Amino acid sequence: MSVEKFQVDQEELETSILLHIRGELDLAAALTFRHALEAVVHRTDKALILDVGKLTYIDSTGIGIVVSALKIRDELKVPFAVRHIPSSIKRLFDLTGISGFLNEGIEGTA
């Protein structure tokens, strides 16, 4: 069984910043993910979207980082969404109670 290396790719669109997350987001990848988010989470000029369609695993550390980003964006009153959530990861988001706070898409964004 091969494990896909964790990777974050940033795409800047007209109205949003899109972070494509792939691989396994666990303690070993947490620092990489945190750095990628820190670079954009405080920007108020664009919506922030995490595309997790190719995320194969997330642990409590990764969920904690997503929750931190959610809180920051909420305090700044700027849009934040997580989209293309795989069913296995959606179940974890449901169990932790954060699914209701993750807008699955932002109107008018690609």
Side-chain angles (χ1 to χ4, degrees):
M1 179 171 132
S2 80
V3 175
E4 186 177 354
K5 184 176 188 258
F6 181 76
Q7 186 175 347
V8 179
D9 295 311
Q10 181 176 325
E11 182 180 1
E12 190 142 348
L13 305 171
E14 187 176 329
T15 60
S16 63
I17 299 166
L18 186 56
L19 294 181
H20 299 275
I21 315 296
R22 70 179 57 214
E24 293 194 356
L25 176 47
D26 56 13
L27 183 59
L31 191 59
T32 300
F33 184 46
R34 190 178 308 276
H35 284 291
L37 273 175
E38 284 174 354
V40 295
V41 74
H42 289 95
R43 287 189 50 185
T44 58
D45 59 324
K46 296 184 179 195
L48 176 58
I49 302 170
L50 302 182
D51 185 327
V52 297
K54 295 191 178 182
L55 188 65
T56 57
Y57 174 80
I58 188 169
D59 69 4
S60 60
T61 305
I63 291 172
I65 296 169
V66 171
V67 169
S68 294
L70 174 65
K71 287 179 181 180
I72 290 168
R73 299 295 286 186
D74 186 56
E75 288 172 8
L76 294 172
K77 298 189 180 355
V78 288
F80 176 75
V82 179
R83 70 178 191 188
H84 302 137
I85 305 170
S87 59
S88 60
I89 291 170
K90 174 86 164 78
R91 279 192 299 277
L92 290 173
F93 286 168
D94 290 344
L95 287 170
T96 58
I98 66 169
S99 289
F101 300 99
L102 302 176
N103 182 2
E104 285 253 12
I106 299 175
E107 291 298 318
T109 59

XYZ file of all heavy atoms in Angstrom:
851
model
N 0.846 -1.182 0.000
C 0.000 0.000 0.000
C 0.886 1.237 0.000
O 1.726 1.414 0.864
C -0.883 -0.033 1.237
C -1.790 1.158 1.353
S -2.951 0.884 2.708
C -2.792 2.430 3.543
N 0.711 2.097 -0.984
C 1.515 3.313 -1.026
C 0.731 4.470 -0.420
O -0.471 4.578 -0.580
C 1.920 3.642 -2.464
O 0.884 4.264 -3.148
N 1.440 5.321 0.295
C 0.841 6.473 0.934
C 1.208 7.693 0.109
O 2.380 7.930 -0.181
C 1.365 6.626 2.381
C 0.845 7.894 3.011
C 0.995 5.414 3.210
N 0.176 8.467 -0.276
C 0.436 9.666 -1.057
C 0.979 10.754 -0.143
O 0.424 11.037 0.914
C -0.856 10.150 -1.727
C -0.623 11.310 -2.655
C -1.881 11.764 -3.377
O -2.919 11.103 -3.248
O -1.801 12.787 -4.058
N 2.088 11.348 -0.550
C 2.727 12.407 0.220
C 1.777 13.597 0.336
O 1.090 13.959 -0.616
C 4.014 12.831 -0.487
C 4.808 13.851 0.267
C 6.114 14.136 -0.455
C 6.987 15.009 0.377
N 7.008 16.388 -0.004
N 1.747 14.212 1.515
C 0.893 15.376 1.732
C 1.393 16.541 0.897
O 2.596 16.785 0.802
C 0.877 15.770 3.213
C -0.006 16.957 3.476
C -1.370 16.815 3.500
C 0.544 18.205 3.668
C -2.194 17.906 3.723
C -0.253 19.312 3.894
C -1.635 19.161 3.925
N 0.451 17.262 0.306
C 0.807 18.387 -0.544
C -0.287 19.441 -0.498
O -1.473 19.111 -0.455
C 1.003 17.892 -1.972
C 1.512 18.919 -2.927
C 1.787 18.310 -4.299
O 1.829 17.095 -4.472
N 1.969 19.156 -5.284
N 0.112 20.709 -0.526
C -0.818 21.829 -0.612
C -0.400 22.674 -1.804
O 0.750 23.103 -1.895
C -0.782 22.715 0.654
C -1.755 23.886 0.517
C -1.080 21.920 1.899
N -1.340 22.896 -2.722
C -1.090 23.763 -3.872
C -2.035 24.940 -3.786
O -3.240 24.767 -3.572
C -1.318 23.008 -5.187
C -0.327 21.873 -5.375
O 0.876 22.118 -5.201
O -0.761 20.755 -5.679
N -1.506 26.137 -3.965
C -2.316 27.347 -3.870
C -2.646 27.867 -5.260
O -1.781 27.929 -6.135
C -1.567 28.426 -3.090
C -2.365 29.702 -2.932
C -1.642 30.728 -2.078
O -0.947 30.374 -1.133
N -1.810 31.994 -2.412
N -3.897 28.245 -5.427
C -4.370 28.832 -6.681
C -5.108 30.113 -6.328
O -6.047 30.104 -5.532
C -5.307 27.840 -7.377
C -5.840 28.297 -8.696
C -6.758 27.270 -9.343
O -6.995 26.197 -8.754
O -7.240 27.560 -10.438
N -4.668 31.223 -6.897
C -5.320 32.499 -6.611
C -6.238 32.846 -7.774
O -5.803 32.980 -8.918
C -4.281 33.592 -6.381
C -4.913 34.845 -5.862
C -4.083 35.564 -4.815
O -3.099 35.007 -4.304
O -4.438 36.703 -4.508
N -7.521 32.954 -7.453
C -8.534 33.285 -8.443
C -8.984 34.728 -8.229
O -8.536 35.397 -7.292
C -9.715 32.313 -8.316
C -9.336 30.827 -8.415
C -10.523 29.946 -8.056
C -8.815 30.502 -9.795
N -9.874 35.204 -9.081
C -10.304 36.596 -9.000
C -10.911 36.946 -7.645
O -10.602 37.990 -7.064
C -11.316 36.897 -10.110
C -11.690 38.355 -10.206
C -12.613 38.632 -11.366
O -12.534 37.950 -12.396
O -13.428 39.555 -11.232
N -11.769 36.061 -7.123
C -12.463 36.374 -5.870
C -12.115 35.434 -4.725
O -12.692 35.537 -3.645
C -13.987 36.337 -6.076
O -14.367 35.026 -6.500
C -14.431 37.373 -7.087
N -11.201 34.495 -4.947
C -10.899 33.531 -3.890
C -9.468 33.012 -3.978
O -8.812 33.103 -5.010
C -11.876 32.358 -3.957
O -11.743 31.672 -5.174
N -9.044 32.476 -2.862
C -7.776 31.754 -2.772
C -8.162 30.306 -2.544
O -8.886 29.988 -1.597
C -6.916 32.268 -1.609
C -6.578 33.751 -1.816
C -5.649 31.421 -1.467
C -6.043 34.421 -0.576
N -7.697 29.456 -3.418
C -8.058 28.043 -3.374
C -6.821 27.239 -2.983
O -5.778 27.328 -3.634
C -8.565 27.632 -4.750
C -9.131 26.259 -4.963
C -10.267 25.964 -4.006
C -9.634 26.128 -6.397
N -6.939 26.487 -1.892
C -5.856 25.595 -1.477
C -6.284 24.166 -1.779
O -7.280 23.684 -1.244
C -5.557 25.742 0.018
C -4.990 27.082 0.487
C -4.733 27.048 1.989
C -3.725 27.445 -0.254
N -5.553 23.517 -2.662
C -5.815 22.118 -3.012
C -4.992 21.256 -2.058
O -3.763 21.334 -2.055
C -5.400 21.827 -4.457
C -6.133 22.625 -5.465
N -7.350 22.239 -5.963
C -5.835 23.806 -6.067
C -7.772 23.132 -6.851
N -6.862 24.097 -6.917
N -5.682 20.438 -1.250
C -5.033 19.604 -0.250
C -5.084 18.154 -0.722
O -6.146 17.666 -1.101
C -5.770 19.698 1.113
C -6.128 21.137 1.479
C -4.981 19.012 2.205
C -4.989 22.053 1.701
N -3.947 17.472 -0.700
C -3.927 16.063 -1.133
C -3.038 15.225 -0.231
O -2.130 15.743 0.404
C -3.482 15.948 -2.584
C -2.023 16.258 -2.798
C -1.636 16.102 -4.244
N -2.506 16.965 -4.961
C -3.024 16.776 -6.192
N -2.716 15.798 -6.874
N -3.838 17.585 -6.751
N -3.349 13.940 -0.184
C -2.540 13.015 0.606
C -3.080 12.850 2.011
O -4.278 12.992 2.252
N -2.184 12.531 2.942
C -2.556 12.285 4.326
C -2.170 13.462 5.208
O -0.993 13.804 5.310
C -1.876 11.013 4.844
C -2.374 9.770 4.159
C -1.962 8.492 4.872
O -1.216 8.546 5.873
O -2.407 7.428 4.408
N -3.175 14.058 5.838
C -2.939 15.182 6.744
C -2.923 14.645 8.172
O -3.952 14.432 8.794
C -4.033 16.244 6.570
C -3.990 17.455 7.503
C -2.596 18.053 7.605
C -4.997 18.492 7.069
N -1.724 14.388 8.645
C -1.539 13.865 9.996
C -0.506 14.736 10.704
O -0.122 15.790 10.199
C -1.111 12.396 9.959
C 0.144 12.164 9.149
O 0.855 13.132 8.794
O 0.443 10.992 8.855
N -0.080 14.305 11.875
C 0.869 15.085 12.669
C 2.132 15.429 11.874
O 2.653 16.540 11.955
C 1.230 14.322 13.951
C 2.163 15.035 14.922
C 1.558 16.359 15.379
C 2.454 14.146 16.115
N 2.602 14.492 11.070
C 3.824 14.721 10.286
C 3.646 15.820 9.234
O 4.602 16.506 8.882
C 4.259 13.418 9.613
N 2.431 16.002 8.744
C 2.157 16.995 7.701
C 1.599 18.294 8.266
O 1.432 19.272 7.527
C 1.172 16.417 6.686
N 1.314 18.324 9.550
C 0.629 19.467 10.158
C 1.377 20.784 9.962
O 0.758 21.808 9.675
C 0.398 19.206 11.643
N 2.680 20.776 10.116
C 3.455 22.008 9.983
C 3.353 22.568 8.565
O 3.186 23.776 8.371
C 4.914 21.769 10.379
C 5.776 23.014 10.544
C 5.198 23.936 11.610
C 7.195 22.623 10.918
N 3.437 21.706 7.573
C 3.303 22.138 6.175
C 1.937 22.776 5.952
O 1.821 23.841 5.334
C 3.474 20.929 5.230
O 4.769 20.373 5.440
C 3.310 21.328 3.773
N 0.879 22.127 6.453
C -0.474 22.640 6.294
C -0.630 23.976 7.027
O -1.183 24.934 6.493
C -1.476 21.605 6.812
C -2.915 21.970 6.621
C -3.378 22.469 5.413
C -3.824 21.785 7.647
C -4.715 22.789 5.232
C -5.161 22.106 7.479
C -5.607 22.607 6.274
N -0.128 24.038 8.250
C -0.237 25.267 9.045
C 0.448 26.438 8.336
O -0.087 27.537 8.255
C 0.361 25.052 10.433
C 0.071 26.187 11.395
C 0.633 25.950 12.788
N 0.280 24.683 13.382
C -0.851 24.436 14.031
N -1.765 25.371 14.129
N -1.074 23.256 14.564
N 1.640 26.207 7.793
C 2.365 27.267 7.084
C 1.593 27.740 5.850
O 1.540 28.944 5.570
C 3.773 26.806 6.690
C 4.727 26.786 7.829
N 5.205 27.910 8.454
C 5.304 25.751 8.479
C 6.026 27.585 9.427
N 6.098 26.265 9.473
N 1.019 26.805 5.106
C 0.245 27.179 3.915
C -0.958 28.035 4.298
O -1.261 29.028 3.620
C -0.214 25.923 3.174
N -1.631 27.672 5.376
C -2.793 28.448 5.824
C -2.385 29.805 6.384
O -3.052 30.810 6.111
C -3.578 27.673 6.875
C -4.621 26.717 6.345
C -5.243 25.920 7.483
C -5.702 27.435 5.576
N -1.326 29.824 7.169
C -0.894 31.092 7.773
C -0.593 32.151 6.720
O -0.777 33.339 6.967
C 0.327 30.874 8.667
C -0.016 30.230 9.988
C 1.209 29.884 10.830
O 2.363 30.032 10.350
O 1.007 29.445 11.974
N -0.150 31.727 5.560
C 0.189 32.662 4.493
C -1.043 33.363 3.917
O -0.917 34.438 3.318
C 0.938 31.931 3.375
N -2.230 32.782 4.114
C -3.424 33.352 3.467
C -4.625 33.552 4.387
O -5.556 34.269 4.029
C -3.865 32.473 2.267
C -2.810 32.479 1.172
C -4.200 31.060 2.700
N -4.632 32.958 5.561
C -5.849 32.951 6.382
C -6.278 34.343 6.846
O -7.467 34.590 7.032
C -5.698 31.982 7.586
C -4.777 32.560 8.656
C -7.047 31.603 8.158
N -5.353 35.272 6.994
C -5.695 36.616 7.456
C -6.036 37.585 6.327
O -6.359 38.736 6.596
C -4.566 37.184 8.319
C -4.468 36.512 9.653
N -3.613 35.461 9.877
C -5.138 36.713 10.813
C -3.745 35.054 11.137
N -4.666 35.784 11.716
N -5.955 37.126 5.117
C -6.310 38.002 3.981
C -7.819 38.202 3.948
O -8.577 37.245 3.981
C -5.833 37.401 2.669
C -4.323 37.510 2.530
C -3.820 37.147 1.189
N -4.503 37.787 0.086
C -4.260 37.517 -1.189
N -3.339 36.613 -1.495
N -4.904 38.126 -2.144
N -8.215 39.450 3.887
C -9.645 39.759 3.904
C -10.181 40.151 2.531
O -11.367 40.422 2.387
C -9.940 40.891 4.904
O -9.182 42.051 4.536
C -9.584 40.474 6.320
N -9.317 40.174 1.532
C -9.728 40.614 0.204
C -10.363 39.514 -0.629
O -11.004 39.792 -1.648
C -8.542 41.218 -0.550
C -7.385 40.245 -0.729
O -7.136 39.429 0.183
O -6.710 40.308 -1.776
N -10.218 38.245 -0.206
C -10.734 37.128 -0.990
C -11.250 36.022 -0.073
O -10.779 35.865 1.050
C -9.650 36.544 -1.899
C -9.157 37.522 -2.948
C -8.169 36.888 -3.871
C -7.744 37.932 -4.924
N -7.072 37.324 -6.032
N -12.197 35.262 -0.599
C -12.669 34.078 0.102
C -11.540 33.059 0.144
O -10.683 33.024 -0.741
C -13.875 33.499 -0.627
N -11.549 32.217 1.173
C -10.562 31.142 1.294
C -11.301 29.818 1.174
O -12.255 29.574 1.907
C -9.828 31.222 2.636
C -8.823 30.114 2.942
C -7.737 30.039 1.860
C -8.208 30.324 4.314
N -10.865 28.998 0.231
C -11.511 27.709 -0.014
C -10.475 26.603 0.071
O -9.434 26.665 -0.570
C -12.180 27.680 -1.406
C -13.209 28.803 -1.539
C -12.827 26.313 -1.652
C -13.737 28.988 -2.949
N -10.782 25.591 0.880
C -9.960 24.390 0.934
C -10.636 23.336 0.076
O -11.782 22.978 0.334
C -9.834 23.860 2.362
C -9.250 24.784 3.420
C -9.166 24.046 4.756
C -7.894 25.296 3.014
N -9.950 22.873 -0.942
C -10.460 21.782 -1.770
C -9.775 20.516 -1.281
O -8.588 20.319 -1.480
C -10.146 22.031 -3.241
C -10.756 20.998 -4.158
O -10.878 19.822 -3.748
O -11.110 21.346 -5.288
N -10.553 19.663 -0.615
C -9.991 18.460 0.001
C -10.381 17.191 -0.760
O -10.320 16.093 -0.217
C -10.388 18.355 1.494
C -9.808 19.523 2.269
C -11.894 18.281 1.669
N -10.748 17.344 -2.007
C -11.189 16.210 -2.814
C -10.167 15.096 -2.938
O -10.515 13.945 -3.142
N -8.886 15.420 -2.795
C -7.833 14.402 -2.907
C -7.152 14.133 -1.570
O -6.088 13.540 -1.522
C -6.822 14.823 -3.963
C -7.466 14.863 -5.341
C -6.473 15.007 -6.435
C -7.243 14.973 -7.755
N -6.415 15.050 -8.889
N -7.829 14.563 -0.493
C -7.326 14.262 0.842
C -7.745 12.843 1.185
O -8.909 12.484 1.078
C -7.911 15.251 1.854
C -7.351 15.217 3.259
C -5.876 15.629 3.271
C -8.144 16.149 4.166
N -6.779 12.009 1.558
C -7.087 10.604 1.822
C -7.237 10.291 3.306
O -7.802 9.260 3.661
C -5.989 9.698 1.229
O -4.723 10.077 1.783
C -5.954 9.813 -0.285
N -6.728 11.192 4.165
C -6.787 10.946 5.599
C -6.578 12.263 6.326
O -5.827 13.123 5.860
C -5.683 9.959 6.005
C -5.560 9.752 7.492
C -6.424 8.900 8.169
C -4.585 10.429 8.221
C -6.313 8.717 9.547
C -4.468 10.242 9.591
C -5.336 9.391 10.245
O -5.229 9.219 11.593
N -7.255 12.426 7.454
C -7.019 13.578 8.323
C -7.134 13.097 9.761
O -8.027 12.310 10.093
C -8.003 14.736 8.022
C -7.627 15.999 8.797
C -9.434 14.318 8.291
C -8.382 17.250 8.355
N -6.209 13.542 10.616
C -6.282 13.169 12.028
C -6.730 14.386 12.838
O -7.060 15.438 12.281
C -4.964 12.578 12.521
C -3.827 13.577 12.614
O -4.037 14.785 12.369
O -2.703 13.156 12.940
N -6.743 14.240 14.153
C -7.239 15.320 15.011
C -6.389 16.585 14.904
O -6.906 17.696 15.039
C -7.309 14.855 16.463
O -6.027 14.469 16.926
N -5.110 16.431 14.623
C -4.247 17.603 14.456
C -4.695 18.408 13.237
O -4.837 19.631 13.302
C -2.770 17.178 14.284
O -2.404 16.349 15.390
C -1.859 18.376 14.211
N -4.940 17.723 12.132
C -5.411 18.392 10.914
C -6.767 19.042 11.111
O -7.002 20.173 10.668
N -7.666 18.331 11.796
C -8.991 18.898 12.070
C -8.854 20.148 12.928
O -9.522 21.156 12.688
C -9.910 17.848 12.732
C -10.258 16.751 11.720
C -11.181 18.501 13.278
C -10.996 15.566 12.293
N -7.954 20.110 13.899
C -7.720 21.275 14.748
C -7.240 22.485 13.963
O -7.654 23.618 14.237
N -6.409 22.258 12.975
C -5.914 23.361 12.145
C -7.056 23.937 11.300
O -7.181 25.159 11.157
C -4.734 22.903 11.267
C -3.550 22.505 12.156
C -4.325 24.002 10.281
C -2.427 21.793 11.409
N -7.907 23.074 10.764
C -9.074 23.544 9.999
C -9.984 24.372 10.904
O -10.455 25.446 10.512
C -9.850 22.366 9.367
C -11.161 22.833 8.758
C -9.001 21.658 8.313
N -10.220 23.904 12.128
C -11.065 24.638 13.075
C -10.440 25.997 13.402
O -11.146 27.011 13.468
C -11.317 23.816 14.359
C -11.961 24.668 15.446
C -12.189 22.606 14.042
N -9.124 26.050 13.582
C -8.442 27.317 13.847
C -8.645 28.299 12.696
O -8.929 29.475 12.921
C -6.946 27.100 14.065
O -6.719 26.372 15.235
N -8.503 27.806 11.468
C -8.714 28.665 10.297
C -10.154 29.138 10.243
O -10.429 30.316 9.942
C -8.347 27.903 9.023
N -11.082 28.257 10.541
C -12.499 28.602 10.561
C -12.765 29.729 11.558
O -13.459 30.705 11.244
C -13.318 27.358 10.911
C -14.808 27.519 11.119
C -15.488 27.944 9.826
C -15.416 26.216 11.618
N -12.191 29.636 12.741
C -12.383 30.666 13.775
C -11.789 32.007 13.348
O -12.405 33.055 13.534
C -11.758 30.213 15.094
C -12.534 29.125 15.780
C -11.861 28.701 17.072
C -12.627 27.594 17.757
N -11.977 27.167 19.006
N -10.598 31.973 12.771
C -9.954 33.215 12.324
C -10.798 33.886 11.256
O -11.067 35.085 11.318
C -8.526 32.937 11.802
C -7.604 32.556 12.963
C -7.973 34.145 11.039
C -6.261 31.984 12.529
N -11.228 33.103 10.262
C -12.028 33.673 9.174
C -13.366 34.209 9.693
O -13.844 35.246 9.236
C -12.254 32.643 8.072
C -10.992 32.126 7.405
C -10.239 33.168 6.645
N -10.914 33.488 5.409
C -10.426 34.294 4.472
N -9.232 34.835 4.630
N -11.106 34.562 3.390
N -13.944 33.525 10.672
C -15.200 33.978 11.265
C -14.998 35.304 11.992
O -15.813 36.227 11.850
C -15.746 32.905 12.213
C -17.124 33.262 12.730
O -18.035 33.492 11.901
O -17.304 33.308 13.971
N -13.923 35.422 12.763
C -13.627 36.666 13.468
C -13.392 37.816 12.496
O -13.777 38.952 12.766
C -12.406 36.495 14.374
C -12.671 35.650 15.594
C -11.409 35.328 16.380
O -10.322 35.883 16.072
O -11.506 34.500 17.305
N -12.755 37.514 11.360
C -12.493 38.533 10.349
C -13.728 38.820 9.493
O -13.735 39.769 8.719
C -11.341 38.088 9.435
C -9.967 37.975 10.079
C -8.978 37.346 9.111
C -9.479 39.348 10.536
N -14.739 37.972 9.635
C -15.982 38.072 8.858
C -15.726 38.012 7.355
O -16.237 38.808 6.580
C -16.754 39.335 9.238
C -17.177 39.328 10.699
C -18.113 40.434 11.024
C -18.577 40.493 12.445
N -18.248 39.508 13.382
N -14.874 37.048 6.972
C -14.593 36.809 5.556
C -14.888 35.341 5.239
O -14.753 34.472 6.094
C -13.137 37.180 5.184
C -12.954 38.687 5.179
C -12.133 36.556 6.114
N -15.316 35.073 4.005
C -15.753 33.724 3.635
C -14.659 32.655 3.733
O -13.502 32.895 3.407
C -16.214 33.885 2.188
C -16.497 35.340 2.024
C -15.526 36.036 2.927
N -15.103 31.481 4.186
C -14.249 30.306 4.291
C -15.107 29.096 3.959
O -16.238 28.983 4.436
C -13.696 30.177 5.716
C -12.873 28.946 5.945
C -11.586 28.856 5.443
C -13.375 27.869 6.660
C -10.808 27.716 5.669
C -12.617 26.731 6.883
C -11.324 26.658 6.386
N -14.574 28.201 3.151
C -15.332 27.000 2.802
C -14.383 25.823 2.608
O -13.203 26.002 2.297
C -16.135 27.224 1.527
N -14.923 24.642 2.805
C -14.218 23.404 2.502
C -15.096 22.677 1.508
O -16.292 22.491 1.750
C -14.005 22.546 3.772
C -13.280 21.254 3.418
C -13.222 23.323 4.821
N -14.521 22.299 0.366
C -15.352 21.662 -0.656
C -14.742 20.361 -1.148
O -13.574 20.083 -0.898
C -15.619 22.618 -1.815
C -14.424 22.926 -2.662
C -14.831 23.850 -3.788
N -13.748 23.945 -4.748
C -13.738 24.783 -5.752
N -14.738 25.594 -5.948
N -12.727 24.801 -6.571
N -15.592 19.580 -1.819
C -15.221 18.264 -2.349
C -14.744 17.330 -1.232
O -13.728 16.652 -1.378
C -14.164 18.380 -3.448
C -14.596 19.220 -4.594
N -13.763 20.126 -5.187
C -15.778 19.318 -5.255
C -14.408 20.743 -6.171
N -15.635 20.262 -6.224
N -15.485 17.303 -0.132
C -15.099 16.517 1.029
C -15.395 15.034 0.776
O -16.551 14.663 0.574
C -15.847 16.992 2.294
C -15.620 18.483 2.523
C -15.409 16.182 3.513
C -16.497 19.099 3.606
N -14.368 14.176 0.775
C -14.607 12.736 0.614
C -15.490 12.207 1.753
O -15.439 12.718 2.874
C -13.201 12.126 0.684
C -12.269 13.248 0.356
C -12.940 14.487 0.879
N -16.270 11.183 1.475
C -17.233 10.685 2.464
C -16.574 10.235 3.768
O -17.120 10.465 4.852
C -18.089 9.561 1.873
O -17.260 8.492 1.458
N -15.397 9.617 3.686
C -14.737 9.169 4.919
C -14.326 10.359 5.791
O -14.404 10.296 7.019
C -13.513 8.314 4.591
O -12.590 9.061 3.822
N -13.924 11.446 5.171
C -13.526 12.638 5.914
C -14.762 13.401 6.381
O -14.792 13.946 7.485
C -12.566 13.486 5.064
C -11.254 12.707 4.940
C -12.346 14.862 5.676
C -10.269 13.224 3.970
N -15.806 13.379 5.584
C -17.077 14.016 5.978
C -17.600 13.382 7.258
O -18.093 14.076 8.158
C -18.097 13.871 4.841
C -19.489 14.365 5.166
C -19.604 15.833 4.890
C -21.043 16.308 4.827
N -21.680 16.477 6.105
N -17.482 12.065 7.372
C -17.921 11.380 8.597
C -17.152 11.897 9.815
O -17.729 12.108 10.877
C -17.747 9.868 8.467
C -18.876 9.208 7.705
C -18.855 7.693 7.840
N -17.640 7.059 7.326
C -17.423 6.760 6.053
N -18.334 7.025 5.139
N -16.299 6.175 5.683
N -15.857 12.103 9.669
C -15.061 12.645 10.777
C -15.489 14.069 11.123
O -15.599 14.432 12.300
C -13.569 12.623 10.438
C -12.912 11.256 10.374
C -11.484 11.382 9.867
C -12.927 10.592 11.739
N -15.739 14.883 10.098
C -16.219 16.245 10.332
C -17.574 16.216 11.031
O -17.843 17.023 11.922
C -16.304 17.024 9.030
C -14.970 17.447 8.454
C -14.898 17.943 7.161
C -13.786 17.367 9.174
C -13.685 18.351 6.608
C -12.565 17.761 8.632
C -12.524 18.259 7.347
N -18.439 15.267 10.631
C -19.750 15.119 11.280
C -19.585 14.733 12.748
O -20.244 15.295 13.619
C -20.604 14.060 10.570
C -21.075 14.489 9.185
O -21.009 15.697 8.865
O -21.510 13.599 8.424
N -18.708 13.760 13.011
C -18.491 13.292 14.376
C -17.929 14.374 15.288
O -18.241 14.433 16.471
C -17.548 12.086 14.394
C -18.124 10.776 13.885
C -17.023 9.731 13.730
C -19.202 10.262 14.836
N -17.100 15.241 14.737
C -16.501 16.307 15.542
C -17.420 17.523 15.644
O -17.139 18.437 16.405
C -15.139 16.747 14.973
O -15.314 17.186 13.628
C -14.135 15.626 15.032
N -18.489 17.529 14.864
C -19.461 18.622 14.938
C -19.114 19.857 14.137
O -19.752 20.896 14.292
N -18.115 19.777 13.256
C -17.751 20.980 12.501
C -18.392 21.054 11.119
O -18.324 22.091 10.474
C -16.224 21.164 12.385
C -15.578 20.062 11.552
C -15.584 21.283 13.743
C -14.135 20.339 11.199
N -19.034 19.994 10.684
C -19.627 19.984 9.340
C -20.555 21.161 9.104
O -20.559 21.757 8.032
C -20.376 18.684 9.085
O -19.482 17.627 8.941
N -21.343 21.501 10.096
C -22.301 22.594 9.953
C -21.663 23.957 9.772
O -22.316 24.898 9.341
N -20.387 24.065 10.103
C -19.692 25.344 9.996
C -18.862 25.462 8.721
O -18.307 26.521 8.434
C -18.770 25.543 11.207
C -19.509 25.547 12.500
C -19.558 24.406 13.287
C -20.183 26.680 12.921
C -20.247 24.398 14.478
C -20.881 26.687 14.121
C -20.919 25.546 14.897
N -18.755 24.369 7.982
C -17.938 24.359 6.771
C -18.841 24.542 5.566
O -19.446 23.599 5.080
C -17.164 23.035 6.657
C -16.249 22.705 7.829
C -15.625 21.335 7.639
C -15.174 23.765 7.997
N -18.938 25.756 5.095
C -19.743 26.062 3.930
C -19.163 25.293 2.758
O -18.020 25.505 2.381
C -19.708 27.574 3.676
C -20.565 27.989 2.507
O -21.225 27.170 1.887
N -20.551 29.271 2.230
N -19.934 24.361 2.177
C -19.423 23.492 1.113
C -19.143 24.215 -0.194
O -18.615 23.657 -1.108
C -20.406 22.345 0.871
C -20.354 21.316 1.948
C -19.681 20.044 1.489
O -19.067 20.022 0.421
O -19.785 19.066 2.220
N -19.488 25.449 -0.291
C -19.190 26.232 -1.488
C -19.534 27.663 -1.217
O -20.359 27.961 -0.365
N -18.911 28.552 -1.899
C -19.184 29.973 -1.732
C -19.740 30.470 -3.051
O -19.124 30.281 -4.101
C -17.908 30.748 -1.326
C -17.393 30.217 0.022
C -18.180 32.221 -1.245
C -16.072 30.822 0.445
N -20.889 31.097 -3.007
C -21.515 31.577 -4.229
C -20.576 32.488 -5.010
O -19.903 33.345 -4.434
C -22.802 32.366 -3.891
C -23.916 31.492 -3.358
C -24.378 30.446 -4.337
O -24.521 30.748 -5.526
O -24.595 29.304 -3.904
N -20.530 32.286 -6.301
C -19.763 33.146 -7.173
C -18.272 32.859 -7.213
O -17.511 33.619 -7.791
N -17.823 31.774 -6.597
C -16.405 31.457 -6.636
C -16.186 30.196 -7.432
O -17.044 29.321 -7.500
C -15.814 31.264 -5.232
O -16.506 30.222 -4.581
C -15.875 32.523 -4.421
N -15.034 30.113 -8.029
C -14.706 28.930 -8.816
C -14.052 27.882 -7.967
O -13.507 28.158 -6.944
C -13.802 29.312 -9.978
